[in-house]
Amino acid sequence: MLVKSGDNDIQGTPEGQVSWLRSLWHGLDATLRQALPGRCSFCLAPGERDRPWCEACFESLPWNLPACPNCAEPQPPGSLAGKRCGHCLTRPPLFIRSRVPLRYEDEVARLMQRFKFHASPRAGNVLLELFELGLSPEALAWPEALIPVPLHPRRARERGFDQADWLARRLASRHGLALTRAQRRQHTRSQRGLDRAERYRNLRGGFVVKGTLPSRVALLDDVMTTGATLDALAQACLAAGAREVEAWAVARTPLAGG
């Protein structure tokens, strides 16, 4: 049996049927998650009070502990809390600390992909709430200015959505933070596929901040990989008058072998 679907043919083999059923389930799952407010965003069970998750899923999320206090790189279980990683000991970043409560794994990665590539507001709100819970009230009150990592205008037009700006506008509104914008100097190549050293070279001098910044500035991105983007933006902030810069992100990508 041959089932026609647009320009693609799905063979009536067990593998083809499984692939088709998997695609159907993912579509139904995404629809249900949007149509059932009050349900857990991860398993669709009743949510915990006014939260978009249940207790079991919340506790099983990949929290970024332990992690390097400078760059938030995940550390092996049992590592000494507060110990800087080898990269930060040899080449400390220009930001004084990182606050990244989650690891980019499992359910967090899937939620981030719905937010980043499909502009899902429900996914964005869940990630923002998780980020806020991962920071203390003192940490959220620390910055005098909040700066989202900017997309180049051309990339923003291609994607049609600026996820860091979306998060920053809502975070600034909720916590009374001054929102400031930075600009990219040029259209740099994508960071995807580059190693740590290449990422730093690719973004060197890539940002500019117009005007004078206050002393304490927090930078915000959705996902932090090596910290190269945030380091380059921190350089621009220090040049614009900031004295201390923190790097904030919702999730940190674990690095295999650095």
Side-chain angles (χ1 to χ4, degrees):
M1 181 179 70
L2 184 66
V3 180
K4 296 285 186 178
S5 177
D7 295 328
N8 298 319
D9 294 339
I10 302 176
Q11 297 290 340
T13 61
E15 293 80 6
Q17 292 170 2
V18 169
S19 177
W20 179 80
L21 287 172
R22 185 181 294 117
S23 298
L24 177 63
W25 165 246
H26 286 326
L28 290 172
D29 179 57
T31 301
L32 285 171
R33 290 177 192 276
Q34 293 189 17
L36 294 175
R39 294 281 175 168
C40 175
S41 296
F42 304 103
C43 73
L44 298 180
E48 182 185 358
R49 296 186 295 276
D50 296 328
R51 300 292 190 183
W53 51 68
C54 67
E55 183 177 357
C57 286
F58 180 80
E59 291 179 354
S60 67
L61 289 174
W63 296 100
N64 193 18
L65 295 170
C68 171
N70 268 156
C71 73
E73 183 171 345
Q75 301 298 308
S79 297
L80 187 64
K83 183 179 179 181
R84 290 192 294 170
C85 70
H87 293 296
C88 289
L89 288 172
T90 57
R91 187 192 184 280
L94 294 174
F95 43 82
I96 59 172
R97 70 181 64 86
S98 296
R99 302 186 190 274
V100 189
L102 294 160
R103 299 185 187 205
Y104 187 72
E105 297 175 335
D106 307 326
E107 290 294 343
V108 169
R110 286 185 279 273
L111 193 65
M112 185 68 74
Q113 288 161 10
R114 293 204 300 272
F115 170 58
K116 187 169 184 175
F117 299 111
H118 302 284
S120 167
R122 177 173 172 81
N125 282 315
V126 173
L127 291 167
L128 186 57
E129 286 195 47
L130 289 170
F131 176 74
E132 290 173 306
L133 283 177
L135 269 64
S136 68
E138 294 76 18
L140 285 166
W142 179 84
E144 297 172 294
L146 180 66
I147 301 180
V149 172
L151 283 176
H152 188 278
R154 191 173 81 189
R155 190 164 293 158
R157 286 194 300 270
E158 291 170 355
R159 186 176 296 172
F161 179 62
D162 188 335
Q163 67 278 358
D165 186 76
W166 191 99
L167 292 167
R169 283 187 284 110
R170 284 155 181 78
L171 193 66
S173 176
R174 291 186 190 187
H175 299 279
L177 300 174
L179 188 60
T180 303
R181 298 300 200 289
Q183 295 178 351
R184 285 185 179 261
R185 291 184 183 272
Q186 57 189 356
H187 182 66
T188 56
R189 61 183 289 203
S190 171
Q191 296 282 78
R192 189 168 298 176
L194 302 183
D195 63 25
R196 182 188 293 264
E198 290 170 336
R199 284 172 176 261
Y200 275 88
R201 286 195 298 271
N202 186 44
L203 288 168
R204 188 174 297 152
F207 299 98
V208 63
V209 178
K210 295 182 178 179
T212 302
L213 290 175
S215 294
R216 301 190 305 274
V217 174
L219 313 178
L220 180 64
D221 207 353
D222 56 341
V223 178
M224 184 177 181
T225 303
T226 62
T229 300
L230 289 156
D231 191 70
L233 184 52
Q235 180 184 42
C237 291
L238 294 171
R243 301 190 64 176
E244 293 181 313
V245 179
E246 289 191 350
W248 292 5
V250 178
R252 182 62 152 85
T253 303
L255 299 176

